[in-house]
């Protein structure tokens, strides 16, 4: 039994073949024009999924790279600002040292006070520095644009927070992109950082209180905890003695005898694990108070310097006042330096992380190219073959379409 093939079926088969060839040709042409082997998921479902995963990773890396750029700009601005603040603090210290020169005339003191006022204004401006987005560098996590506010009495208040603004620069990796102004400018201990020794305001002699230090931390802490502070007093013969906060004599922990003895100008007085350097000659009844350090902001320190210069105290009064403020200024300077070191360390982390992402980006781009990019030579060759095959099919179809039964019985 023979099978008859209808003309319509033959046409349909030829048409189906040509449409399939046209679709394949169109796909290859798309690969040639786009340069990609996978243009839609159906081209290679497994490859498309792999390419999507790599693309997501690249997108995340690009976002982290952008964050690193933002963090780098902000921290660089902070570092530059801290450098400027250091310059202002150095200038203030130099002026304070000039002020304790006893040969200065009143007009010289007034000039130094004016210069310090200008430095205070500069410090206020620098402390309120903003980044490229207009956000204050030293406001912590607060959105306030002006973290440092000068009050009517000349004091300065901090309107920011104590926290640090963070930025994500990797999966589970964050870096601080700012520092709270409270820790840099406001909450620095006065004195030597542990205690402050200051000449009594009613002193009439020429006693100058110099540098102080803790020589035995355990003994110092035990004595300070028990007494809460000390008062060193001088009598008419130049002898010194010390009492605690309750007025009782301070006893030597080793002997149990009251501390004290003769004082000679230039000597240091030591007891209970601490030492206080002194110069000058005390008058009978002159005192030196010793107590735990308290937080003092840099603006108060500058204000205290200005007040001392504008006052009518003796040279000894001015020198003692400046010595104490220099100590406080040095504490702020140490805080600024520490912050500079931390900012520099973060910038180093950003540089390393940024370079890692640059290297990874090349690796992932190569991997993505290997998955989805087409081989130009192979694709063009395939396009030529498919084009030739389609043309042949079209020619055969056109020829068959014109044939009749009479062509077979010639």
């Amino acid at each position: 039994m023979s099978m008859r093939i209808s003309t319509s079926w033959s046409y349909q088969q030829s048409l189906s073949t040509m449409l399939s060839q046209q679709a394949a040709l169109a796909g290859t042409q798309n690969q040639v024009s786009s340069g990609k082997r996978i243009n839609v998921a159906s081209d290679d479902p497994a490859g498309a999924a792999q390419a999507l995963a790599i693309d997501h990773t690249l997108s995340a890396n690009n976002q982290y790279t952008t964050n690193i750029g933002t963090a780098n700009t902000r921290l660089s601005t902070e570092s530059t600002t801290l450098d400027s603040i250091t310059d202002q603090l150095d200038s203030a210290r130099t002026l304070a040292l000039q002020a304790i020169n006893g040969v200065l005339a009143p007009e010289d003191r007034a000039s130094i006070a004016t210069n310090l006022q200008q430095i205070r204004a500069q410090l206020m401006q620098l402390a309120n520095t903003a980044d490229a987005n207009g956000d204050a560098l030293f406001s912590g996590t607060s959105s306030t644009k002006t973290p440092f506010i000068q009050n009517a009495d000349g004091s300065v208040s901090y309107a920011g927070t104590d926290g640090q603004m963070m930025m994500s620069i990797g999966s589970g990796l964050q870096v601080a992109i700012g520092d709270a102004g409270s820790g840099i400018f406001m909450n620095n201990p006065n004195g030597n950082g542990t205690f402050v020794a200051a000449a009594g305001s009613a002193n009439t002699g020429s006693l100058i209180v110099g540098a102080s230090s803790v020589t035995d931390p355990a003994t110092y802490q035990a004595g300070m905890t028990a007494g809460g502070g000390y008062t060193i007093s001088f009598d008419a013969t130049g002898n010194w003695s010390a009492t605690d906060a309750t007025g009782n004599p301070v006893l030597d922990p080793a002997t149990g005898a009251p501390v004290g003895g003769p004082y000679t100008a230039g000597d240091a007085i030591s007891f209970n694990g601490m030492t206080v350097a002194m110069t000058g000659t005390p008058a009978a009844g002159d005192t030196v108070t010793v107590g735990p350090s308290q937080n003092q902001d840099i603006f108060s320190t500058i204000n205290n310097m200005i007040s001392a210069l504008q006052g009518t105290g003796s040279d000894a009064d001015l020198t003692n006042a400046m010595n104490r403020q220099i100590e406080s200024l040095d504490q702020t300077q140490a805080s600024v330096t520490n912050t500079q070191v931390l900012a520099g360390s973060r910038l180093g982390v950003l540089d390393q992380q940024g370079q890692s992402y640059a290297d990874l980006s090349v690796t992932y781009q190569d991997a993505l190219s290997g998955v989805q990019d087409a081989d130009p030579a192979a694709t063009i060759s395939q396009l030529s073959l498919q084009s030739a095959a389609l043309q042949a099919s079209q020619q055969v179809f056109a020829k068959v379409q014109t044939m009749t039964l009479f062509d077979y019985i010639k």
Side-chain angles (χ1 to χ4, degrees), residues 55-240:
D55 191 59
H56 283 169
T57 302
L58 275 170
S59 296
N61 284 1
N62 289 339
Q63 182 59 60
Y64 289 139
T65 299
T66 299
N67 290 355
I68 287 173
T70 301
N72 208 319
T73 299
R74 184 177 169 90
L75 284 173
S76 295
T77 303
E78 177 180 347
S79 182
T80 300
T81 303
L82 290 172
D83 286 341
S84 298
I85 289 170
T86 296
D87 291 340
Q88 294 298 320
L89 294 178
D90 287 343
S91 296
R93 196 179 199 282
T94 298
L95 289 170
L97 291 174
Q98 291 176 1
I100 59 180
N101 186 339
V103 301
L104 289 181
E107 54 269 26
D108 295 325
R109 294 188 182 186
S111 177
I112 293 174
T114 299
N115 288 335
L116 286 171
Q117 289 172 341
Q118 294 172 348
I119 289 175
R120 182 183 58 190
Q122 285 291 322
L123 287 173
M124 277 289 292
Q125 182 179 357
L126 290 168
N128 284 323
T129 300
D131 63 13
N133 296 320
D135 297 322
L137 289 176
F138 304 114
S139 62
T141 56
S142 172
S143 60
T144 180
K145 303 297 183 182
T146 309
F148 294 91
I149 302 170
Q150 184 164 324
N151 304 311
D153 62 357
S155 64
V156 174
S157 299
Y158 177 64
T161 69
D162 296 333
Q164 286 182 305
M165 188 178 295
M166 309 294 291
M167 180 163 284
S168 178
I169 61 169
S171 179
L173 179 61
Q174 291 187 317
V175 65
I177 59 172
D179 294 277
S182 55
I184 302 174
F185 307 107
M186 305 297 287
N187 299 333
N188 295 307
N190 59 4
N192 59 30
T194 303
F195 69 88
V196 56
S201 58
N203 286 4
T204 57
S206 61
L207 182 69
I208 303 297
V209 179
S212 60
S213 63
V214 174
T215 56
D216 184 340
T219 302
Y220 166 80
Q221 189 59 45
M224 190 60 73
T225 299
Y230 310 102
T231 298
I232 301 171
S233 302
F234 298 87
D235 62 20
T237 61
N239 289 319
W240 69 273

Side-chain angles (χ1 to χ4, degrees), residues 18 22 24 49 88 143 168 172 208 216 235 255 297 317 341 347 362 374 376:
M18 286 188 292
Q22 285 178 333
Q88 294 298 320
S143 60
S168 178
I208 303 297
D216 184 340
D235 62 20
T255 65
D297 64 86
D317 292 334
V341 171
L347 285 169
V362 173

Side-chain angles (χ1 to χ4, degrees), residues 282-371:
D286 282 359
T287 61
V288 173
T289 59
V290 179
S293 294
Q294 304 294 323
N295 286 341
Q296 179 171 310
D297 64 86
I298 185 57
F299 307 103
S300 294
T301 297
I302 302 296
N303 286 341
N304 291 342
M305 289 182 178
I306 294 170
S307 296
L309 286 163
Q310 294 174 339
T312 58
S314 65
D315 289 341
D317 292 334
L318 178 61
T319 300
N320 279 311
M322 285 298 179
N323 281 348
R324 302 292 75 74
Q325 303 318 307
I326 289 173
E327 288 175 339
S328 294
L329 189 150
D330 287 346
Q331 295 297 325
T332 298
Q333 183 67 285
S335 178
V336 171
T337 299
N338 181 61
T339 306
Q340 285 177 301
V341 171
L342 293 175
S345 177
R346 294 176 204 141
L347 285 169
V349 171
L350 292 177
D351 287 343
Q352 293 175 0
Q353 197 71 5
Q355 186 58 54
S356 295
Y357 285 133
D359 295 340
L360 285 173
S361 180
V362 173
T363 300
Y364 288 133
Q365 288 286 2
D366 289 343
L368 184 61
S369 177
V371 171

